[in-house]
């Protein structure tokens, strides 16, 4: 069966510090991978998605970047965190990009930028 | 920007009550509507994928209906139990957003024993 891991679970970082959140998927190959953020009182906002190694699409202009160095690894990064980067970050995967393909979510990382 | 709205934002019910909430989405370029349940300290979990106007899906005490012409979906829970307490998210998949889901802000359901 497939599993998705994210770490760390929680993170408190000062403004201006770098960020690296990691997501890995097991039990499948060539998944589509997604990074979402939930800011306080808001829905899940898609930040990045990837259909293959090195292929990243950005959904919103922001202070973050994503990379996919391996087939089942997705990394969310920032060089200098802003207060507005605080939120709950979820990684997800799907087997395809069809309208009926379910996305499967990881446990998430709560990021607080102080 | 696609507008996917859920109402109410939060809901408190007593154990045994039946309840329902709404997801509104664009009625044009509709491909699918997904429902997820997100329990505290867990990952969002898929409930239903609905594609056809008039679709009705059921999973235990939870059911959902779909009206693509007017752009809404209802989620019903019959005889709510405390374990149904969660945030219920809907997500729209449109023809102009290939491979991407646009989520509503969720309805937070609390079922009191």
């Amino acid at each position: 069966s497939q599993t998705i891991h994210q770490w760390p679970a929680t993170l408190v970082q000062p403004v201006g510090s770098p960020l690296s959140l990691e997501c890995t998927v097991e039990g499948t190959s060539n998944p589509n991978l997604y990074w979402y953020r939930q800011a306080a009182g808001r829905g899940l906002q898609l930040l990045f998605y990837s259909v293959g190694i090195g292929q990243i699409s950005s959904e919103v202009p922001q202070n973050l970047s994503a990379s996919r160095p391996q087939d089942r690894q997705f990394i969310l990064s920032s060089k200098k965190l802003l207060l507005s980067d605080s939120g709950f970050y979820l990684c997800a995967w799907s087997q395809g990009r069809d309208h009926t393909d379910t996305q499967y979510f990881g446990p998430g990382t709560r990021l607080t930028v102080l | 920007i696609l507008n996917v709205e859920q109402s109410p934002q939060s809901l408190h019910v007593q154990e045994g009550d039946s309840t329902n909430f709404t997801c509104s989405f664009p009625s044009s370029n509709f491909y699918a509507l997904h429902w997820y349940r997100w329990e505290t300290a867990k990952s969002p979990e898929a409930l239903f994928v609905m594609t056809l106007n008039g679709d009705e899906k059921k999973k235990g005490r939870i059911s959902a209906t779909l009206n693509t012409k007017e752009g809404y979906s209802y989620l019903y829970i019959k005889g709510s139990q405390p374990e149904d307490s969660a945030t219920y998210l809907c997500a729209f998949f449109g023809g102009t957003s290939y491979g991407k889901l646009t989520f509503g802000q969720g309805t937070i359901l609390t079922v009191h024993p």
Side-chain angles (χ1 to χ4, degrees), chain A residues 54-69:
Chain A
Q55 300 178 62
I56 309 293
S57 295
S58 174
E59 286 300 293
V60 291
Q62 57 206 325
N63 186 41
L64 303 168
S65 62
S67 61
R68 185 170 176 174

Side-chain angles (χ1 to χ4, degrees), chain A residues 19-97:
Chain A
L19 172 74
S20 181
L21 303 181
E22 190 162 342
C23 170
T24 58
V25 181
E26 295 177 355
T28 187
S29 59
N30 197 30
N32 296 292
L33 296 172
Y34 310 84
W35 277 112
Y36 288 91
R37 176 172 62 199
Q38 184 186 40
R42 305 187 65 178
L44 292 178
Q45 180 186 34
L46 180 63
L47 302 176
F48 301 95
Y49 70 94
S50 171
V51 300
I53 296 174
Q55 300 178 62
I56 309 293
S57 295
S58 174
E59 286 300 293
V60 291
Q62 57 206 325
N63 186 41
L64 303 168
S65 62
S67 61
R68 185 170 176 174
Q70 299 181 49
D71 182 46
R72 290 168 288 174
Q73 185 185 29
F74 205 22
I75 298 172
L76 184 71
S77 304
S78 174
K79 291 183 179 176
K80 287 186 179 181
L81 283 169
L82 304 172
L83 287 174
S84 57
D85 292 322
S86 293
F88 194 76
Y89 290 81
L90 280 166
C91 180
W93 73 274
S94 67
Q95 198 56 66
R97 297 175 67 202

Side-chain angles (χ1 to χ4, degrees), chain A residues 38 59 97 99 103 105-106, chain B residues 31-32 34 36 43 98 100:
Chain A
Q38 184 186 40
E59 286 300 293
R97 297 175 67 202
H99 61 292
Q103 292 186 17
F105 289 85
Chain B
Y31 274 51
H34 296 237
Y36 285 82
S43 307
Y98 184 57
K100 295 175 283 187

Side-chain angles (χ1 to χ4, degrees), chain B residues 80-102:
Chain B
S80 303
Q81 300 296 308
E83 58 265 31
D84 295 326
S85 297
T87 298
Y88 290 83
L89 298 167
C90 67
F92 171 83
F93 188 116
T96 58
S97 56
Y98 184 57
K100 295 175 283 187
L101 294 174
T102 301

Side-chain angles (χ1 to χ4, degrees), chain B residues 11-84:
Chain B
L11 196 53
H12 291 257
V13 301
Q14 291 296 127
E15 182 175 355
D17 288 349
S18 293
T19 186
N20 65 87
F21 25 92
T22 307
C23 172
S24 301
F25 52 84
S27 55
S28 60
N29 284 313
F30 175 88
Y31 274 51
L33 196 282
H34 296 237
W35 280 101
Y36 285 82
R37 174 171 59 197
W38 192 1
E39 297 178 66
T40 302
K42 294 187 177 180
S43 307
E45 174 190 34
L47 286 173
F48 307 116
V49 181
M50 309 182 77
T51 57
L52 298 175
N53 185 44
D55 243 359
E56 184 168 342
K57 302 272 185 174
K58 190 173 180 182
K59 186 175 182 178
R61 292 178 292 95
I62 304 176
S63 61
T65 61
L66 181 69
N67 183 323
T68 60
K69 294 184 178 180
E70 295 182 38
Y72 65 84
S73 175
Y74 293 139
L75 190 82
Y76 300 91
I77 303 178
K78 184 177 178 182
S80 303
Q81 300 296 308
E83 58 265 31
D84 295 326

